């Protein structure tokens, strides 16, 4: 039993209203958030992750009848987004090691690196990796603490065929036990999901 | 409708009779300061002591303005209501206005008494630093684009500045020691009962003005925000 | 539900802060965003100060004021980097997701303090040498430099976090730090002058310690408001 309940959610940046009293209930494992650019997909994911505080309304995740406490939300959520980057000066492994230490959790870094297919480049500084490999490293950072809720913002951008294959496996695997929310405009990826939330239609 | 609203608002800032009364009251205070009060002996130029009637209430109101501003800043961080941010901002601006007035009246007094308008007396140093500190508050506000971030960051700055203010106003001048006639003013020989009465009247006029400007600015800023 | 309380608790915050500190230190050693600029600035200003005013090197009041001015301006030239760089490299989101605000504050504070001490290690011996200062109480002199560096870092860290949210950063940083630094500079200059001439400067050192504790406590309450959106 996995539930996501968005109730009366609004957010605006100064005068520009991005989300307008959005209400939505979702009962399943995979949710696709679609909509044109600027419709608030990334903002919605950031609010879900607890990075942004909405002006009003709330988002509740419920796993097996237990609500996730908003004050601990950051330990249950993994977010991979284009504007959340890793430290260029550190290698992929060092980045993950730092994030694990900052979170204070014992994580299997090698397993995560293998899952995203970065094990052979783990000792290169992230700044030297190609954009696609950097996206994989960011995905690894989101998966690191084995989050219950995985939020992916345009995850397949810059990924090659193999990368997409890896991404699909990750989504499959995580949605067995948790919730995966995808912000995407790719019809193939949206088709993988149980339900769609079209922000363009809401507005 | 919009016009009617703004009309009712502007009258609620301060009713017309009160505005007229303020003008009369202030005129009376000025006349009393110039013609009724005797020159204060104990100063090198006794006549110039009259300016104290304006200088002291200005300095006090400046501090009060900053404290009110900080109280609203704390309220904003707890409750997060935009009007609290506006009130904090307006109050800090009034604090700055009265700081400037206190500085100017102090400089006039210093020019007459000691011959120079500025001589790095510890009080002058302190008030200059207060001007810089709260000048920076407005610089910080204008440098942040997002209104929520601006409100939060400037509230934090405001609280930190208020934490240092007692040090500036009370500790630093006493450590340095100087020309400022705090001693002369607190002893009865320097400041007679007439002075105290007129100074109290002057303080009332300024508090009155403070409330007037405060309410008008808050109304104006809250109105422009809604549009 | 797994590990519900894994991020709270004082011990965890300190461990997490240590991780932030170590991360900043490694990044700094590899990229040298702040440290080389600060040290070069410090060395340049020590040279500028000493070749214009070395005649006053024997006067403890003047040389302690000049020493702290050099330290103050060097700090202002680079201490904001730690926060501003996170924003420029879009890594602040990563940090916000992984670490508690207070862990970030304490980690950055420790990092800024380390930078201050590194800068003082280079600049102060040079200053003492070039100005031919006489220092009577070396122990107190060193303690004042270390604790004064902490007090500077404490104030500058908060100011840097605020400035990172603003559009104009460089010029604003010095202005925003100024109010918090007035008591620091007053006590540090006064105390250092006493230590140079061999008088007791314990009261100034105590004031710097109390001041640092006060500002750290206040910052731990206020930091989350400037760090989080």
């Amino acid at each position: 039993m996995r539930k996501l309940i968005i109730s009366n959610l609004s957010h605006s940046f100064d005068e520009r209203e991005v989300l307008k009293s959005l209400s939505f209930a979702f009962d399943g494992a995979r949710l696709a958030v679609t909509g044109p650019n600027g419709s608030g997909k990334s903002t919605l994911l950031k609010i879900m992750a607890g990075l942004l505080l909405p002006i009003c309304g709330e988002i509740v995740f419920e796993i097996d009848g237990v609500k996730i406490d908003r004050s601990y939300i950051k330990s249950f959520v993994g977010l991979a987004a284009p504007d959340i980057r890793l430290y260029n000066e550190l290698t992929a492994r060092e980045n993950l090691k730092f994030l694990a230490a900052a979170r204070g959790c014992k994580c299997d870094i090698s397993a995560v690196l293998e899952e995203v297919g970065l094990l052979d480049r783990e000792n290169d500084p992230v700044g030297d990796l190609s954009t696609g490999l950097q996206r994989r490293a960011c995905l690894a950072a989101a998966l690191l603490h084995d989050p219950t809720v995985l939020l992916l913002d345009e995850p397949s951008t810059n990924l090659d065929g193999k990368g997409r294959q890896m991404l699909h496996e990750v989504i499959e695997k995580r949605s067995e036990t948790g919730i995966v929310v995808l912000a995407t405009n790719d019809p193939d990826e949206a088709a993988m999901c149980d339900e769609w939330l079209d922000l363009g239609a809401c507005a | 409708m919009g016009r009617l609203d703004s009309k009712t608002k502007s009258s609620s800032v301060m009713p017309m009779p009160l505005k007229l009364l303020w003008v009369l009251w202030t005129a009376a205070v000025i006349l009393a300061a110039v013609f009724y009060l005797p020159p204060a002996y104990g100063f090198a130029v006794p006549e110039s002591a009259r300016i104290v009637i304006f200088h002291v209430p200005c300095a006090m109101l400046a501090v009060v303005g900053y404290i009110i501003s900080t109280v609203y800043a704390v309220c904003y961080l707890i409750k997060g209501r935009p009007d609290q941010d506006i009130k904090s901002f307006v109050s800090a601006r009034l604090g700055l206005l009265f700081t400037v007035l206190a500085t100017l009246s102090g400089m006039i007094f210093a020019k007459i008494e000691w011959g120079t308008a500025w001589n790095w007396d510890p009080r002058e140093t302190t008030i200059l630093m207060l001007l810089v500190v709260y000048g920076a508050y407005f610089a910080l506000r204008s440098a942040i684009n997002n209104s929520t971030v601006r409100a939060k960051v400037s509230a934090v700055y405001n609280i930190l500045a208020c934490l240092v203010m007692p040090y500036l106003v009370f500790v630093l001048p006493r450590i340095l020691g100087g020309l400022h006639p705090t001693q002369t003013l607190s002893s009865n020989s320097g400041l007679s009962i007439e002075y105290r009465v007129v100074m109290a009247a002057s303080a009332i006029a300024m508090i009155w003005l403070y409330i007037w400007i405060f309410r008008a600015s808050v109304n104006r800023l809250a109105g422009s925000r809604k549009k | 539900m797994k590990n519900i309380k894994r991020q709270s608790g004082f011990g965890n915050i300190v461990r997490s802060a240590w991780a932030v500190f170590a991360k900043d230190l490694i990044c700094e050693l590899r990229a040298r965003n702040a440290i080389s600029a600060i040290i070069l600035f410090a060395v340049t200003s020590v040279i500028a100060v000493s070749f214009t005013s070395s005649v006053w090197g024997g006067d403890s009041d003047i040389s302690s004021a000049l020493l702290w001015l050099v330290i103050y301006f060097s700090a202002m030239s680079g201490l904001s980097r730690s926060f501003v760089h996170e924003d420029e490299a879009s890594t602040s989101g990563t940090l916000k997701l992984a670490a508690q605000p207070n862990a970030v504050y304490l980690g950055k504070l420790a990092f800024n303090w380390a930078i201050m001490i590194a800068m003082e290690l280079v600049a102060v011996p040079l200053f003492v040498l070039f100005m031919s200062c006489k220092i009577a109480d070396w122990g107190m002199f060193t303690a004042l430099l270390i604790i004064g560096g902490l007090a500077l870092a404490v104030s500058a860290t908060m100011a840097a976090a605020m400035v990172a949210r603003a559009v104009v950063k460089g010029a604003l940083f010095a202005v925003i730090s100024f109010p918090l630094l007035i008591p620091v500079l007053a006590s540090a200059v006064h105390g250092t002058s006493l230590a140079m001439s061999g008088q007791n400067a314990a009261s100034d050192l105590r004031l710097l310690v109390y001041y640092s504790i006060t500002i750290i406590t206040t910052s731990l309450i206020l930091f989350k408001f400037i760090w989080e959106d």
Side-chain angles (χ1 to χ4, degrees):
Chain A
M1 278 297 289
R2 283 156 276 175
K3 272 191 201 162
L4 159 61
I5 301 144
I6 302 173
S7 40
N8 196 25
L9 191 77
S10 293
H11 194 71
S12 57
F13 296 107
D14 283 318
E15 313 295 290
R16 197 164 55 83
E17 210 163 42
V18 184
L19 296 167
K20 200 175 170 187
S21 46
L22 177 72
S23 292
F24 184 73
F26 167 66
D27 199 345
R30 289 185 291 255
L31 172 70
V33 180
T34 58
N37 299 123
S39 57
K41 298 190 295 292
S42 302
T43 309
L44 181 61
L45 258 61
K46 282 197 179 120
I47 294 174
M48 284 182 182
L51 265 188
L52 282 179
L53 218 61
I55 285 177
C56 71
E58 59 167 3
I59 297 181
V60 177
F61 290 107
E62 210 179 290
I63 309 289
D64 301 325
V66 184
K67 274 188 192 171
I68 297 180
D69 190 336
R70 278 316 281 189
S71 44
Y72 297 116
I73 190 75
K74 282 175 188 167
S75 8
F76 291 96
V77 167
L79 170 64
D83 57 345
I84 294 180
R85 300 169 56 97
L86 295 179
Y87 294 93
N88 283 341
E89 296 87 356
L90 304 179
T91 68
R93 180 173 279 275
E94 283 168 334
N95 263 301
L96 296 185
K97 229 165 135 184
F98 158 63
L99 292 175
R103 283 181 181 278
C105 65
K106 295 247 179 298
C107 318
D108 192 346
I109 295 170
S110 302
V112 174
L113 281 170
E114 197 179 352
E115 195 177 350
V116 299
L118 215 63
L119 210 47
D120 52 331
R121 299 293 302 274
E122 62 170 24
N123 289 323
D124 291 356
V126 167
D128 294 352
L129 297 177
S130 69
T131 351
L133 290 176
Q134 285 188 11
R135 291 304 305 265
R136 291 183 190 220
C138 291
L139 182 63
L143 295 173
L144 180 68
H145 51 293
D146 192 19
T148 319
V149 178
L150 183 61
L151 308 168
L152 302 172
D153 191 354
E154 307 276 4
S156 59
T157 327
N158 293 325
L159 288 185
D160 54 9
K162 253 185 173 171
R164 279 166 200 251
Q165 185 60 37
M166 174 277 294
L167 180 68
H168 289 185
E169 280 163 20
V170 166
I171 295 172
E172 276 309 324
K173 188 180 157 202
R174 300 288 153 167
S175 58
E176 280 165 22
T177 50
I179 300 179
V180 177
V181 180
L182 276 174
T184 184
N185 278 320
D186 183 326
D188 292 343
E189 272 166 30
M192 287 177 66
C193 297
D194 308 324
E195 214 166 315
W196 298 272
L197 169 60
D198 189 355
L199 289 178
C202 295
Chain B
M1 271 310 282
R3 258 195 173 174
L4 209 70
D5 277 348
S6 66
K7 254 189 184 170
T8 42
K9 253 184 195 163
S10 69
S11 67
S12 74
V13 166
M14 177 135 328
M16 206 51 187
L18 276 181
K19 285 181 188 168
L20 288 175
L21 192 60
W22 181 82
V23 173
L24 292 177
W25 184 284
T26 310
V29 169
I30 293 171
L31 290 176
V34 177
F35 296 111
Y36 165 69
L37 282 183
Y41 294 99
F43 288 107
V45 186
E47 295 287 340
S48 73
R50 298 181 203 283
I51 204 162
V52 89
I53 296 302
F54 303 100
H55 177 70
V56 172
C58 273
M60 284 176 169
L61 259 183
V63 175
V64 169
Y66 293 140
I67 290 172
I68 292 176
S69 169
T70 307
V71 170
Y72 277 118
V74 172
C75 290
Y76 178 80
L77 289 185
I78 295 170
K79 292 263 171 72
R81 289 196 346 236
D83 65 299
Q84 289 162 333
D85 174 53
I86 292 175
K87 283 174 183 161
S88 175
F89 167 66
V90 167
S91 216
R93 206 166 59 177
L94 279 165
L96 194 67
L97 172 73
F98 282 106
T99 313
V100 171
L101 290 178
T103 313
L104 290 178
S105 55
M107 279 166 77
I108 295 170
F109 181 76
K111 180 75 188 162
I112 296 168
E113 285 294 315
W114 307 310
T116 50
W118 197 270
N119 39 33
W120 290 107
D121 169 77
R123 276 279 170 212
E124 289 173 343
T125 313
T126 296
I127 209 157
L128 186 70
M129 284 183 178
L130 266 185
L131 283 173
V132 172
V133 166
Y134 283 91
Y137 172 80
F138 297 102
L140 179 65
R141 282 191 75 96
S142 61
I144 304 176
N145 291 330
N146 181 302
S147 60
T148 321
V149 175
R150 176 171 59 230
K152 280 202 275 192
V153 171
S154 57
V156 169
Y157 178 84
N158 197 322
I159 293 168
L160 289 174
C162 188
L163 210 65
V164 182
M165 198 173 64
Y167 183 89
L168 288 182
V169 177
F170 301 113
V171 183
L172 203 58
R174 279 177 182 54
I175 291 176
L176 299 173
L179 295 167
H180 193 270
T182 320
Q183 289 307 317
T184 331
L185 287 186
S186 12
S187 66
N188 278 327
S189 61
L191 206 59
S192 62
I193 187 77
E194 294 100 314
Y195 263 83
R196 280 158 201 274
V197 170
V198 179
M199 200 190 282
S202 158
I204 289 172
M206 286 196 188
I207 293 170
W208 200 332
L209 182 68
Y210 182 100
I211 295 171
W212 184 356
I213 300 178
F214 180 82
R215 297 183 64 170
S217 313
V218 168
N219 264 358
R220 193 169 53 79
L221 287 174
S224 72
R225 198 187 171 85
K226 265 174 200 154
K227 276 170 205 166
Chain C
M1 306 236 78
K2 50 172 192 182
N3 305 340
I4 285 244
K5 295 214 163 156
R6 64 183 165 198
Q7 281 198 338
S8 51
F10 183 70
N12 285 330
I13 292 223
V14 171
R15 268 194 293 278
S16 178
W18 177 257
V20 173
F21 170 67
K23 181 271 297 176
D24 271 353
L25 212 58
I26 296 172
C27 287
E28 184 59 49
L29 289 176
R30 288 189 190 158
R32 300 213 176 80
N33 282 314
I35 192 78
S36 40
I38 290 187
I39 288 184
L40 278 177
F41 190 99
V43 169
T44 319
S45 42
V46 165
I47 292 170
V49 162
S50 48
F51 104 90
T52 50
S53 22
S54 61
V55 248
W56 293 300
D59 186 321
S60 65
D61 280 339
I62 293 178
S63 47
S64 96
L66 288 175
L67 174 62
W68 278 100
L69 281 179
V70 167
I71 294 175
Y72 167 65
F73 282 112
S74 311
M76 288 304 105
S77 73
L79 280 197
S80 66
R81 290 305 304 162
S82 59
F83 275 105
V84 172
H85 186 68
E86 298 271 357
D87 264 27
E88 284 171 356
S90 317
T91 49
S92 51
T94 314
L95 197 54
K96 278 175 195 169
L97 282 173
Q100 296 267 304
N102 283 345
V104 175
Y105 173 75
L106 291 174
K108 295 277 181 194
L109 169 61
F111 174 70
N112 278 345
W113 192 14
I115 287 198
M116 286 301 294
I117 287 176
M119 180 265 285
E120 287 175 347
L121 272 178
V122 177
V124 176
L126 273 183
F127 184 89
V128 172
L129 182 74
F130 285 165
M131 295 285 286
S132 43
C133 301
K134 289 182 184 59
I135 290 148
D137 189 346
W138 273 100
M140 183 53 87
F141 182 71
T142 318
L144 278 165
L145 282 172
I146 294 172
I147 299 299
L150 170 67
L152 259 165
V154 165
S155 323
T157 306
M158 266 319 249
M162 288 193 249
V163 151
R165 310 304 303 267
V167 194
V168 274
K169 295 179 164 76
L172 203 55
F173 178 55
V175 180
I176 298 297
S177 330
F178 185 63
L180 287 177
L181 288 178
I182 298 165
V184 177
L185 287 178
S187 304
V189 169
H190 189 240
T192 308
S193 166
L194 291 179
M196 280 172 158
S197 57
Q199 286 158 283
N200 186 5
S203 67
D204 287 299
L205 186 66
R206 263 202 307 276
L207 204 140
L208 284 174
V209 172
Y210 295 152
Y211 185 76
S212 304
I213 293 172
T214 315
I215 301 293
I216 291 175
T217 317
T218 321
S219 303
L220 286 176
I221 299 168
L222 295 177
F223 183 69
K224 65 169 187 283
F225 294 109
I226 30 181
W227 177 240
E228 290 181 332
D229 278 301

